[in-house]
Amino acid sequence: QMLQGLNTMDSLDPKCTELKAKYEDCFKHWYSTTYLHSPHPHLVPDHCKPLFDEYRACLQHVLVAKGIDKMLLEKEHQLDPE
């Protein structure tokens, strides 16, 4: 419920804004109805991941052009060094 009513910002690439909005709507619903009510939230599957992957694929050229892809990879490596 705390996430409801938040407005969606445009995507870094306007062509990806609709995908971003779909993912955010899915995530808000999943988070407020499933994740927050689970006794073991770390075990709850994220059913919105396919939408996130589609959005990230849409954004990939912008992430590369701005060098953000490298920052994301570095951060992922820091969080999971294996």
Side-chain angles (χ1 to χ4, degrees):
Q1 290 82 2
M2 78 173 129
L3 295 177
Q4 292 175 349
L6 293 178
N7 293 329
T8 299
M9 292 177 54
D10 287 345
S11 175
L12 287 172
D13 182 340
K15 291 182 263 182
C16 303
T17 297
E18 186 177 335
L19 287 172
K20 181 179 184 284
K22 286 180 182 178
Y23 167 70
E24 287 179 350
D25 287 345
C26 180
F27 181 83
K28 288 174 197 175
H29 182 264
W30 170 82
Y31 185 80
S32 62
T33 62
T34 305
Y35 184 85
L36 289 178
H37 300 287
S38 172
H40 305 288
H42 62 286
L43 299 176
V44 175
D46 181 358
H47 297 290
C48 302
K49 185 165 179 356
L51 287 172
F52 176 77
D53 292 341
E54 189 177 356
Y55 171 56
R56 188 166 180 177
C58 181
L59 270 185
Q60 190 60 34
H61 71 282
V62 173
L63 298 177
V64 170
K66 294 183 179 276
I68 297 171
D69 63 322
K70 292 176 186 160
M71 291 187 308
L72 292 173
L73 287 173
E74 289 171 7
K75 185 53 99 176
E76 287 173 7
H77 182 70
Q78 290 172 356
L79 296 173
D80 187 16
E82 292 179 24

